[in-house]
Amino acid sequence: METVAARFFRAESALFFSSGYLANFAVLTTLLQKGDLIVIDRSVHVITREAARACRAKVTEVPHNDVQAIDGAIAAWRTAGGKGHAWIAVESLYSMDGDHAPLAEIAALADRRDAFLFIDEAHATGVFGPDGRGLAHHLEGRENVLVLHSCGKALGCFGALVTAPSVLREFLVNHCLPFMYATAPSPLIAVAVTEALAILRDEPERRAHLAELVSFANKTILDRCGIEPSGSHIVPVIIGDNSRAMAIAAALQARGFDLRGIRPPTVPVGTSRLRISLTLNVKKTDVSNMVEALIEELESNAV
Ligand SMILES: Cc1ncc(COP(=O)(O)O)c(C=O)c1O
């Protein structure tokens, strides 16, 4: 399955972990060494932040999608005598805002600063890119790029594939304790993930259908609610107040709409929100009905 995945993503190699959560933690805490620097975007998933804290490198957090701040952090660290490797950790599509990272600029910066780039594609794999290979598809195979593809989201399976240069995969196989000392995944998972990758390649109509639904939902939310949408299948509706966000989420759930209220610490204080996540399990009429219900619940739960 790993060989098939490496070929599919056009990477040199791939390594399977039992979850994207574990893969994030395992890869970063194994590869980063004392004397290294890791620069993380402020909006990365909690596990990337925890992994950065747990590893032996110095950690710098920068404002969201601020390429200059990443550059500045690496430059300042070098000037202060930083001699190890610099790492940059980002998501290609942010899980709570649904927006994209400026990957081309960040990759160019990584090259210029001789840094490694770790890209979490949890929410982009299977949805974007040729054959659903993700938003970082054009960066796969580079010697300074590692990409995490969760198999538990659009792929509908379980676990995660980390694509990486072979030398880094070898290092992980021999040094990564969460990989070495955990039971290997069931062969059933290998079959399911291999099949999911084949479906991505062979059934592009699924992505086309989702893209149509996404553009319909984004337009409807803008037209009917005046909310600037994210442009992706993850659409946040910022409420601000924690209790109000949770009350509106509960009311919408009671009406049959499976969307979630998200509070700090998952999102910054003052930005509690409803998180709408579109899948192929819904139709345009469901989206329209949800938006009308949302308008009603925003009114009846007015501040
Ligand atoms: C950005 C991001 N990375 C990693 C994960 C964890 O992936 P998995 O569900 O495969 O453990 C998530 C899950 O919510 C996520 O949003």
Side-chain angles (χ1 to χ4, degrees):
M1 175 249 284
E2 290 171 341
T3 311
V4 170
R7 208 177 308 127
F8 177 84
F9 289 110
R10 316 216 170 150
E12 220 175 84
S13 71
L15 190 61
F16 185 80
F17 289 86
S18 53
S19 76
Y21 190 96
L22 179 74
N24 243 298
F25 192 81
V27 167
L28 293 175
T29 53
T30 305
L31 294 183
L32 273 82
Q33 306 292 316
K34 193 160 185 279
D36 289 350
L37 167 75
I38 180 160
V39 183
I40 59 172
D41 186 286
R42 197 185 72 173
S43 298
V44 287
H45 192 265
V46 63
I47 187 53
T48 307
R49 178 170 292 111
E50 286 304 306
R53 281 210 191 109
C55 75
R56 282 155 287 184
K58 173 180 159 57
V59 185
T60 301
E61 192 172 308
V62 292
H64 184 49
N65 278 346
D66 189 337
V67 182
Q68 279 197 342
I70 302 174
D71 196 25
I74 299 175
W77 172 71
R78 287 274 182 231
T79 306
K83 298 242 183 305
H85 290 110
W87 286 75
I88 303 166
V90 296
E91 279 167 44
S92 58
L93 185 96
Y94 282 89
S95 60
M96 294 298 145
D97 292 315
D99 62 334
H100 297 189
L103 281 183
E105 280 176 72
I106 294 173
L109 162 63
D111 288 347
R112 200 166 63 246
R113 290 279 178 201
D114 199 17
F116 284 100
L117 179 53
F118 178 80
I119 306 168
D120 186 334
E121 289 251 63
H123 296 281
T125 307
V127 178
F128 296 101
D131 291 338
R133 285 187 273 126
L135 290 165
H137 64 91
H138 55 296
L139 302 174
E140 297 269 11
R142 294 194 182 196
E143 63 178 10
N144 60 343
V145 173
L146 290 93
V147 183
L148 185 149
H149 299 282
S150 170
C151 304
K153 301 189 188 297
L155 269 63
C157 301
F158 181 78
L161 287 153
V162 174
T163 52
S166 302
V167 64
L168 294 184
R169 181 187 185 279
E170 277 306 296
F171 189 87
L172 288 168
V173 167
N174 290 291
H175 296 269
C176 179
L177 302 186
F179 176 80
M180 294 161 75
Y181 292 102
T183 306
S186 148
L188 276 177
I189 291 299
V191 172
V193 170
T194 305
E195 184 57 24
L197 296 178
I199 291 172
L200 288 189
R201 189 193 54 226
D202 298 340
E203 301 180 24
E205 63 277 11
R206 289 170 180 263
R207 279 187 301 287
H209 182 183
L210 182 63
E212 201 187 313
L213 194 63
V214 166
S215 87
F216 175 77
N218 277 255
K219 183 170 179 332
T220 309
I221 287 167
L222 179 63
D223 292 349
R224 296 286 298 126
C225 310
I227 294 169
E228 196 60 49
S230 64
S232 76
H233 55 294
I234 296 173
V235 187
V237 176
I238 309 291
I239 304 292
D241 178 71
N242 298 355
S243 325
R244 185 167 177 246
M246 299 316 281
I248 298 172
L252 288 166
Q253 284 160 14
R255 293 173 70 159
F257 301 105
D258 185 16
L259 53 76
R260 303 301 156 98
I262 312 281
R263 288 171 287 185
T266 307
V267 292
V269 172
T271 71
S272 285
R273 65 196 63 190
L274 309 174
R275 180 175 181 267
I276 300 167
S277 181
L278 295 158
T279 72
L280 288 178
N281 299 327
V282 296
K283 300 189 182 63
K284 284 183 182 173
T285 49
D286 299 319
V287 172
S288 300
N289 292 339
M290 181 213 43
V291 171
E292 295 314 312
L294 171 63
I295 292 167
E296 287 170 21
E297 295 304 335
L298 284 170
E299 274 169 17
S300 51
N301 287 279
V303 235

